[in-house]
Amino acid sequence: MKDIQTLRLYTRVARLGSFSAAARESGLAQSQVSRMIAELEAGLGTRLLSRTTRAVVPTEAGQEYLVRIEPILAALEDAENSIRETGELRGLLRIGMPSTMGIRIVMPRLSGFAERHPQLQIELLLDDSWQDMVREAVDVGIRVGNLPEGSGTAKLIGQMHRVIVAAPAYLAQYGVPEMPGALDAHRIVGGPASTQSSSWRFEKDGETVSVDVHPHIATNDTAGALAAAASGLGVTSTTSWACRLELENGALVQLFPEWQTALLPVHAYYPMGRATRIAARAFVEFLSADLLQNPPA
């Protein structure tokens, strides 16, 4: 049991980049955690962590060791959870998702799941770019749009539309485009939802219109694109779930509501396929049921 505890401590130090943070999380003294990791390194005969005054990062050997032992520790947690009669989950659940999705959709719904499993530690990795989920030890990812090819499995948990939005102040200054083709004369804010393609596609009454876009301002973060558009910097394409708050409070106005835009699938993606942990599947079951009962838009 002491060896398992040491391994778990090593994974947390490596992931958190801090002995003190791992010590606080585990309820141990920092000196005790440092000593246990030093003993682990001595037993393996190699340095696992590179220690500086500013950060603690895995060495090349430490990173390889981390990637190999995390699935083993996760399997042990799953074995314990599978025989626990109360159904209460324990251990660590790592969930990856776009930042705006996490802040606006998942976090407001998370309390019910967290209360149901108070001994389960939940770690949210917020990043609009596609993560290397296996290397980052992500148990489940929530992703918008088409999924890349891989060995994982996925479950559809919702759908959203692209929407075109701009701030009232911008429209007052530059005018309201009446048709998609009029976007040629407007400033464009590019973001993760709009830079995947160089054109925006619209459909109405059997007519299809594609508008080439050339962003004047671009960002890799959805919240950043929304903030730029709300500040009057231009027109942006985003998702109906992401901009719901701005549309409700009037910070942004939807353009061309009579035109249909792309329908985007929302998937829960399990990078480990059939080996996905019990906690990850339980979280997705909870989230998908809540989205069905209380759709975001």
Side-chain angles (χ1 to χ4, degrees):
M1 294 303 295
K2 179 181 178 182
D3 291 339
I4 293 174
Q5 182 188 28
T6 300
L7 293 177
R8 283 175 172 157
L9 280 174
Y10 167 67
T11 65
R12 299 311 294 150
V13 172
R15 289 298 179 189
L16 296 171
S18 169
F19 281 94
S20 59
R24 287 193 301 270
E25 187 178 273
S26 61
L28 300 174
Q30 181 176 340
S31 59
Q32 188 176 1
V33 173
S34 298
R35 184 177 67 255
M36 293 173 72
I37 300 302
E39 291 174 354
L40 174 63
E41 291 177 317
L44 293 171
T46 188
R47 178 68 65 87
L48 298 175
L49 298 168
S50 176
R51 302 155 173 85
T52 69
T53 56
R54 293 187 176 183
V56 178
V57 297
T59 62
E60 184 176 351
Q63 182 63 38
E64 180 66 22
Y65 192 59
L66 180 67
V67 171
R68 288 179 177 272
I69 66 172
E70 278 182 322
I72 298 172
L73 294 175
L76 288 174
E77 290 175 355
D78 261 7
E80 295 170 359
N81 287 329
S82 68
I83 63 172
R84 193 168 285 117
E85 294 181 357
T86 61
E88 181 182 317
L89 300 172
R90 298 183 183 182
L92 173 66
L93 173 63
R94 289 168 63 87
I95 311 168
M97 66 192 73
S99 300
T100 305
M101 172 73 72
I103 294 169
R104 299 197 175 189
I105 304 300
V106 175
M107 288 183 184
R109 292 170 161 78
L110 197 56
S111 60
F113 182 76
E115 290 171 2
R116 189 179 302 175
H117 306 288
Q119 300 302 315
L120 180 66
Q121 182 183 350
I122 302 170
E123 191 169 310
L124 303 180
L125 285 73
L126 305 182
D127 192 339
D128 279 352
S129 62
W130 183 265
Q131 300 152 318
D132 184 341
M133 294 189 186
V134 174
R135 196 154 192 85
E136 293 296 324
V138 172
D139 296 301
V140 59
I142 308 301
R143 310 311 299 179
V144 179
N146 296 326
L147 296 173
E149 294 183 3
S151 59
T153 58
K155 176 181 178 179
L156 183 68
I157 61 173
Q159 290 181 317
M160 63 176 74
H161 284 276
R162 289 190 190 276
V163 292
I164 312 302
V165 296
Y170 172 87
L171 298 174
Q173 181 175 356
Y174 296 99
V176 179
E178 299 296 335
M179 297 287 289
L183 288 172
D184 289 339
H186 285 265
R187 298 182 68 83
I188 302 297
V189 175
S194 59
T195 56
Q196 297 174 358
S197 173
S198 60
S199 65
W200 296 349
R201 184 185 177 100
F202 303 85
E203 294 184 7
K204 186 180 76 168
D205 300 330
E207 178 185 3
T208 299
V209 175
S210 293
V211 179
D212 292 334
V213 292
H214 305 283
H216 295 79
I217 296 175
T219 174
N220 63 346
D221 180 74
T222 298
L226 288 171
S231 298
L233 294 176
V235 179
T236 194
S237 168
T238 185
T239 66
S240 54
W241 289 11
C243 67
R244 181 181 180 185
L245 179 62
E246 285 80 3
L247 292 177
E248 289 178 349
N249 64 24
L252 292 172
V253 176
Q254 182 179 355
L255 304 177
F256 323 119
E258 69 278 10
W259 289 79
Q260 292 183 342
T261 51
L263 190 63
L264 301 172
V266 182
H267 287 97
Y269 180 77
Y270 304 109
M272 299 304 293
R274 293 185 177 181
T276 297
R277 301 176 55 211
I278 294 172
R281 296 194 182 278
F283 165 75
V284 171
E285 293 281 339
F286 174 88
L287 179 61
S288 59
D290 196 282
L291 289 173
L292 183 63
Q293 186 175 356
N294 305 293

